[in-house]
Amino acid sequence: MSAAFDRARIDARLVETTLGRHRIAVVLGTGWSDAVTELTGGSSSPKVRFCDIAGFTAPQVPGHAGTLQSVDVAGRDVLVVAGRTHLYEGSSPDAVVHAVRVAVLAGAEVVVITNAAGSLRHEIGPGHVVAISDQINLTGCSPLTGWDPADESATIPPAPSGFVDLTDLYTADRRAALQRRVPDLPEGVYAGVRGPQFETPAEIRALRTVGADLVGMSTVLEGIAAAHAGAEVVGLSLVTNLAAGLTRSIDHDSILEVGAQSTERLAEALEAVILDG
Ligand code: HPA
């Protein structure tokens, strides 16, 4: 655990030196890259590839680039993390949250986590953007396992323990501000699963019963790590499909297609978050 934070601190220094400090970081999930391109006004830095920084794990999945870049988005300098690695690739929880930890240690006070998700609600179909209001971590693991309370410099300000309070993980204030800018933006509870298989209809019925509105294979560990590191967290899901049992079938190519068709809506939501940041 301490080794993971040591590595994050080293990589944060490298990111600060090459890209500068950023108050806001955005992690781009499946389908979200074009939204940033749409919003980029002025300058952007060269891209730094995950594979060129020792602590990062390059993503394997189509649609996940694996780069860091400083981008002028809607007139603000934003650290854009394009692509992520997942538990289902065999990555450890520490590897999954590494980019988020680095972003916070390199100055990010707000971390915007985006993803593609299946919807458990018929009325929120493919193409909708949803503000994540809360999460259910069903991955069976935590990025804080093995937290070393003596490791005081791992968070800003130092967290007293790994027992981090997640009562207001996706802060209500930020969601309210976001909904003032995008009034019809729905909210939902995101259930994070390990994957890589999509769920069965019975699993989706079970998830509905426990209070989920969205399901996906990312985000929950990053949310925990960002909050633990001291950042405010905003979560945005692009609904790419109705969840299993609510639709005839699900496939990854259609998920990428919905992403490509939803750029304008994603850009609108992202711009609103960044203007509030
Ligand atoms: N299930 C899990 N992850 C997903 C889905 C889904 O239906 N859609 C996009 N990511």
Side-chain angles (χ1 to χ4, degrees):
M1 183 73 186
S2 284
F5 274 103
D6 289 344
R7 192 66 247 175
R9 273 191 293 277
I10 293 166
D11 289 353
R13 276 202 297 276
L14 185 106
V15 168
E16 274 189 74
T17 311
T18 50
L19 301 176
R21 277 181 83 77
H22 296 78
R23 219 182 87 73
I24 307 184
V26 177
V27 181
L28 297 178
T30 305
W32 284 83
S33 306
D34 290 347
V36 168
T37 312
E38 176 111 349
L39 293 173
T40 303
S43 54
S44 11
S45 73
K47 290 181 180 168
V48 178
R49 295 183 309 168
F50 285 5
C51 58
D52 293 333
I53 316 180
F56 279 75
T57 307
Q60 315 276 319
V61 184
H64 285 272
T67 59
L68 294 163
Q69 191 179 23
S70 175
V71 183
D72 173 339
V73 182
R76 315 276 162 105
D77 284 335
V78 175
L79 181 67
V80 174
V81 181
R84 49 160 65 97
T85 190
H86 300 84
L87 290 174
Y88 63 70
E89 294 170 68
S91 294
S92 67
D94 279 328
V96 167
V97 305
H98 186 70
V100 162
R101 279 189 179 140
V102 168
V104 179
L105 291 167
E109 293 167 32
V110 181
V111 175
V112 183
I113 305 176
T114 67
N115 61 44
S119 171
L120 280 67
R121 288 165 54 181
H122 271 293
E123 71 278 19
I124 302 181
H128 277 87
V129 180
V130 182
I132 300 177
S133 57
D134 206 343
Q135 72 178 34
I136 304 172
N137 175 10
L138 295 170
T139 65
C141 61
S142 163
L144 305 182
T145 299
W147 163 250
D148 174 4
D151 190 352
E152 288 195 347
S153 57
T155 60
I156 312 163
S161 77
F163 299 111
V164 59
D165 181 6
L166 300 182
T167 304
D168 195 26
L169 174 55
Y170 297 97
T171 53
D173 284 354
R174 285 201 175 271
R175 271 184 287 128
L178 178 57
Q179 280 161 335
R180 277 194 292 277
R181 289 188 190 273
V182 190
D184 53 357
L185 193 72
E187 289 192 349
V189 173
Y190 178 96
V193 296
R194 282 183 89 104
Q197 72 284 354
F198 292 116
E199 301 68 38
T200 64
E203 286 167 343
I204 292 299
R205 285 194 299 277
L207 289 180
R208 265 189 92 118
T209 307
V210 299
D213 303 299
L214 302 161
V215 61
M217 302 174 195
S218 67
T219 302
V220 290
L221 302 188
E222 290 154 278
I224 294 167
H228 179 250
E232 286 191 73
V233 187
V234 177
L236 292 172
S237 288
L238 163 65
V239 172
T240 51
N241 57 283
L242 288 171
L246 281 70
T247 184
R248 219 175 297 148
S249 63
I250 306 169
D251 68 88
H252 190 64
D253 287 344
S254 331
I255 285 175
L256 295 179
E257 218 168 280
V258 172
Q261 289 161 4
S262 310
T263 305
E264 231 168 87
R265 221 159 311 145
L266 303 185
E268 180 192 23
L270 208 50
E271 181 174 37
V273 170
I274 289 164
L275 290 176
D276 286 329

